[in-house]
Amino acid sequence: RVLQEKEIRRVGENVSRPVNVRFLAATNRNLAREVAEGRFREDLFYRLCIFELEVPPLRERTEDILPLARTFLETLSRDTGKRIIGFTPEVVDILMQYDWPGNVRQLRNTVEHAVVLCEGKRIGIRDLPAGVRSRLSAKTPEDAIRSVHEVEREQILSAIRLLEGNKVEAAKKLEISLSSLYKKLKKYGVRDDAETSS
């Protein structure tokens, strides 16, 4: 009644009341297959499935891993009162190589675990959960290779964070001109103020 007629009937009442709500449902299962195999109600499936948005698992959209990790780090550092400004290059490699079976929730939990243990300014390998570190042993050497694009982008962002947003000084330390720095930030799709501070 709620999904189709947009009304509810309170317990003990005979009068229906209109409601104005929007339902968002999420699942990690293939509901069409679940319906076909009799594990999910067909009528409920078709009432829910008006507009379907498929979000690939995190391992299939690795370009989201570092921006998400930085966002979690900024929030969790602020909440815990710590001043952690980033990840070491080794940790960045681990985050990018890991297959994240628990998706975004696992990534957040991993960053939270690391923030709690971190005693310095940057998250190190020892701060990561043992389960994340141990999974790396199954990787091949080729999996550890990162593109020049990824390495340069992370180096630039790390320099700006370490220098608290001072792009003039960051350009000097990176031994490039300030105009080159801005061009690279634009090339990598980095917003001028927001992402470089995370």
Side-chain angles (χ1 to χ4, degrees):
R1 182 183 295 120
V2 175
L3 291 171
Q4 185 160 319
E5 306 299 334
K6 300 192 186 311
E7 61 183 26
I8 62 171
R9 187 174 296 170
R10 292 178 177 175
V11 177
E13 284 189 346
N14 294 322
V15 178
S16 295
R17 300 171 181 266
V19 292
N20 182 15
V21 295
R22 175 179 295 172
F23 281 88
L24 300 176
T27 181
N28 60 357
R29 299 187 180 186
N30 184 325
L31 288 188
R33 185 184 305 132
E34 296 291 305
V35 169
E37 296 178 1
R39 291 194 294 265
F40 195 85
R41 283 178 48 179
E42 185 176 19
D43 60 336
L44 178 58
F45 172 69
Y46 286 115
R47 283 182 171 88
L48 286 172
C49 193
I50 297 173
F51 181 83
E52 186 176 6
L53 179 64
E54 184 175 347
V55 179
L58 193 55
R59 65 180 173 273
E60 294 180 11
R61 46 192 175 97
T62 54
E63 69 277 4
D64 290 343
I65 293 174
L66 289 182
L68 285 169
R70 291 192 193 103
T71 298
F72 295 146
L73 178 61
E74 181 181 8
T75 301
L76 293 165
S77 297
R78 184 173 59 246
D79 291 347
T80 57
K82 293 189 173 184
R83 187 169 169 76
I84 303 173
I85 60 176
F87 306 96
T88 64
E90 295 80 10
V91 169
V92 170
D93 286 335
I94 290 175
L95 295 180
M96 294 300 294
Q97 292 174 44
Y98 191 66
D99 59 3
W100 301 109
N103 286 303
V104 176
R105 184 180 292 110
Q106 184 188 12
L107 176 60
R108 187 189 189 283
N109 291 345
T110 295
V111 175
E112 184 171 8
H113 180 281
V115 167
V116 170
L117 293 183
C118 183
E119 297 179 351
K121 296 290 186 182
R122 305 178 84 187
I123 300 294
I125 293 178
R126 289 184 299 178
D127 302 322
L128 298 176
V132 174
R133 297 195 310 264
S134 65
R135 284 287 188 94
L136 294 177
S137 60
K139 298 287 185 178
T140 65
E142 290 80 7
D143 293 325
I145 298 174
R146 297 169 60 209
S147 70
V148 173
H149 172 100
E150 290 175 333
V151 174
E152 183 180 60
R153 183 180 189 277
E154 180 59 27
Q155 184 66 23
I156 289 173
L157 293 180
S158 294
I160 294 174
R161 284 195 301 273
L162 286 169
L163 295 167
E164 300 180 344
N166 187 330
K167 296 184 181 64
V168 174
E169 193 62 28
K172 289 180 182 177
K173 294 292 185 183
L174 292 167
E175 298 182 357
I176 59 176
S177 67
L178 184 59
S179 61
S180 293
L181 176 62
Y182 278 106
K183 286 177 183 177
K184 289 178 183 296
L185 290 174
K186 184 177 180 181
K187 171 185 173 183
Y188 295 141
V190 178
R191 296 191 305 274
D192 191 19
D193 295 318
E195 191 170 336
T196 54
S197 62
S198 62

